[in-house]
Amino acid sequence: SSVVLTPGWGGGSSTMSDWGEFFASHGFLSMTIGPNDEINDSHQQRAEGLLDAIETIKEEQWRAASPLLGMVDTSRFIVSGYSMGGGASQVALTLEDFTSNHSIVAAIALNPTIIFEDCDICTDNEYCICLVPEFLEHDIPTIVIAGQNEIDELPSYDGLLGQDIYYNTPETTDKILYEISNGSHGSAAFPSGSVQEKALYWAKYHLTEDISYCDSLLLSPDDASLYVTTIDCSPSVAIDDKTIVPKDF
């Protein structure tokens, strides 16, 4: 099972090395990538880079000279990133046919920013930029970790930050918003404290399918100014294509 990470604006792959090493230290195959153009590549291009990286990892499963020959789980990937890369992870979830082609099971967005340009929909913005629910139509579980004070640093991204991503993602999608009290735009740039704990629990829950982590994901961290989720940890049983949730009587 693998985690692929991409950096924020102006950063190369090495800026995500702490997160890459963190996930690798917990037994996941981890890959950090950088955009072709660290300054000018769009969210869409960075999202496509995440998908390309997944295909590169998959090829190592069968490449004769690969040190990972026969060791890669080609069916379970998490896409992640910081800032612009965090937004790119969300764009990747919406790209056509990604579910069948790229095996993404979840995403981790770290202090994400996001931009969609559509002059037919974003009519109130002179640059045709906005965020509306139809841009984030997907059912892939996602955790968004954002700082409470990011809007003060990035006023031009009003409506385009992590909190906005969470609320524009369908309520039917498993999702978490972890807003860090007094957190800045760099509050999740590096793994530490509750940030790394929640990210790890999310990865273990979705990549290893270990349901024991579900209850831990429901608990609000001590440093959260806001912690909301649509996750339901109730056990369910499928009978004749119907889902039954057992209840205490």
Side-chain angles (χ1 to χ4, degrees):
S1 301
S2 307
V3 182
V4 183
L5 305 110
T6 193
W9 181 86
S13 60
S14 63
T15 63
M16 298 303 296
S17 61
D18 285 357
W19 272 110
E21 291 172 6
F22 171 72
F23 285 115
S25 72
H26 288 276
F28 299 112
L29 196 164
S30 180
M31 183 178 187
T32 62
I33 64 171
N36 292 323
D37 186 329
E38 297 173 359
I39 303 299
N40 296 310
D41 271 10
S42 66
H43 285 79
Q44 171 92 12
Q45 290 169 310
R46 293 162 189 261
E48 291 170 352
L50 287 168
L51 303 187
D52 288 343
I54 289 174
E55 294 310 301
T56 297
I57 294 174
K58 286 183 176 182
E59 290 171 2
E60 293 301 292
Q61 167 72 2
W62 300 287
R63 187 170 65 86
S66 172
L68 299 173
L69 179 66
M71 300 170 60
V72 178
D73 182 347
T74 59
S75 66
R76 308 195 72 78
F77 291 85
I78 281 179
V79 289
S80 181
Y82 165 71
S83 190
M84 199 172 183
S89 75
Q90 303 303 292
V91 175
L93 304 183
T94 70
L95 296 182
E96 186 177 5
D97 296 332
F98 81 91
T99 48
S100 58
N101 293 335
H102 301 292
S103 310
I104 300 172
V105 298
I108 300 171
L110 307 165
N111 297 124
T113 65
I114 198 163
I115 288 178
F116 289 98
E117 296 182 62
D118 190 316
C119 290
D120 293 327
I121 295 175
C122 305
T123 55
D124 292 335
N125 184 284
E126 62 177 310
Y127 301 109
C128 301
I129 293 171
C130 67
L131 177 60
V132 294
E134 61 196 274
F135 291 158
L136 291 175
E137 283 287 345
H138 67 81
D139 60 358
I140 304 304
T142 190
I143 184 171
V144 176
I145 304 178
Q148 183 182 19
N149 298 334
E150 288 190 61
I151 188 60
D152 298 332
E153 298 172 76
L154 302 171
S156 62
Y157 277 88
D158 186 19
L160 303 168
L161 294 172
Q163 294 87 338
D164 309 297
I165 290 172
Y166 177 87
Y167 288 113
N168 281 278
T169 299
E171 287 298 298
T172 53
T173 297
D174 282 354
K175 58 181 182 174
I176 292 175
L177 170 60
Y178 168 14
E179 182 186 83
I180 302 167
S181 180
N182 296 316
S184 69
H185 186 56
S187 52
F190 303 98
S192 65
S194 295
V195 170
Q196 69 175 19
E197 181 179 78
K198 290 300 181 184
L200 179 61
Y201 289 169
W202 189 255
K204 286 184 174 290
Y205 182 46
H206 291 288
L207 290 179
T208 68
E209 299 182 275
D210 187 341
I211 62 174
S212 67
Y213 286 96
C214 189
D215 287 338
S216 297
L217 287 167
L218 296 179
L219 299 176
S220 176
D222 292 338
D223 66 348
S225 50
L226 179 65
Y227 194 81
V228 288
T229 183
T230 61
I231 293 176
D232 182 0
C233 296
S234 301
S236 61
V237 179
I239 301 176
D240 295 331
D241 297 325
K242 295 181 180 179
T243 300
I244 299 175
V245 178
K247 297 184 182 293
D248 293 329
F249 293 96

